[in-house]
Amino acid sequence: MNLTVYLSGEIHTDWRQKIMQGAKDHGLAIKFTSAVTEHEASDAAGDVLGKDDNGFWRDHKSSKVNAIRTKNMIQNCDIAIIRFGDKYKQWNAAFDAGYCAALGKPYITLHAEDIIHPLKEVDAAAMAWAQTPEQIVELLKYVTSDS
């Protein structure tokens, strides 16, 4: 089974690389997609439309340009993995989870146990909750198996 998996959320750790490497190590037929993970590039996505000294309008333009990418990738994925880290509040990840839920796209959350409570609604709509990238790889092995 060939799958397209969208990797959403926290950009400050190597969880994406661990999942992609694990899938590769197991020979899984998975295409991975993701938002732009370079923070500065993402923040500057709308700068081509004109310099704006007001932070709100700069962020507004860049978020719309970034949304072109993320909306298409979520719409075209088979499964989304949505990572919530411990350093920052990932409102974008929560938004992606809600978008997946609205589209009926299955998603798996990836986060530590200590943030179960604030993510209860997000987890309630998820197909699974994992705590490690290795668990995600095991889930992907299972859902792509022929038996």
Side-chain angles (χ1 to χ4, degrees), residues 56-74:
F56 173 83
W57 292 113
R58 181 178 190 239
D59 286 348
H60 184 77
K61 286 189 286 189
S62 292
S63 68
K64 287 182 173 264
V65 172
N66 283 321
I68 295 168
R69 178 185 179 103
T70 57
K71 286 178 78 172
N72 279 297
M73 289 182 174
I74 290 172

Side-chain angles (χ1 to χ4, degrees), residues 15-141:
W15 69 274
R16 282 179 177 82
Q17 291 75 22
K18 288 180 179 178
I19 291 170
M20 291 185 289
Q21 187 61 52
K24 182 179 177 184
D25 291 347
H26 292 285
L28 304 181
I30 296 177
K31 173 186 173 188
F32 290 99
T33 62
S34 182
V36 172
T37 59
E38 183 188 335
H39 200 138
E40 293 77 22
S42 176
D43 286 351
D47 288 355
V48 69
L49 300 173
K51 183 156 174 60
D52 206 314
D53 293 329
N54 183 306
F56 173 83
W57 292 113
R58 181 178 190 239
D59 286 348
H60 184 77
K61 286 189 286 189
S62 292
S63 68
K64 287 182 173 264
V65 172
N66 283 321
I68 295 168
R69 178 185 179 103
T70 57
K71 286 178 78 172
N72 279 297
M73 289 182 174
I74 290 172
Q75 288 170 354
N76 292 310
C77 77
D78 298 302
I79 301 170
I81 309 301
I82 303 180
R83 166 77 175 145
F84 294 90
D86 59 353
K87 269 189 145 179
Y88 304 96
K89 291 177 175 62
Q90 289 90 42
W91 305 119
N92 59 321
F95 187 87
D96 287 354
Y99 192 51
C100 287
L103 292 174
K105 293 282 180 179
Y107 69 89
I108 301 167
T109 56
L110 173 60
H111 63 80
E113 188 172 354
D114 64 345
I115 56 174
I116 289 173
H117 181 72
L119 292 173
K120 63 186 174 295
E121 289 82 8
V122 173
D123 285 338
M127 298 292 104
W129 160 53
Q131 296 182 64
T132 68
E134 294 77 18
Q135 288 176 318
I136 296 292
V137 172
E138 290 301 314
L139 291 171
L140 292 174
K141 281 173 48 181

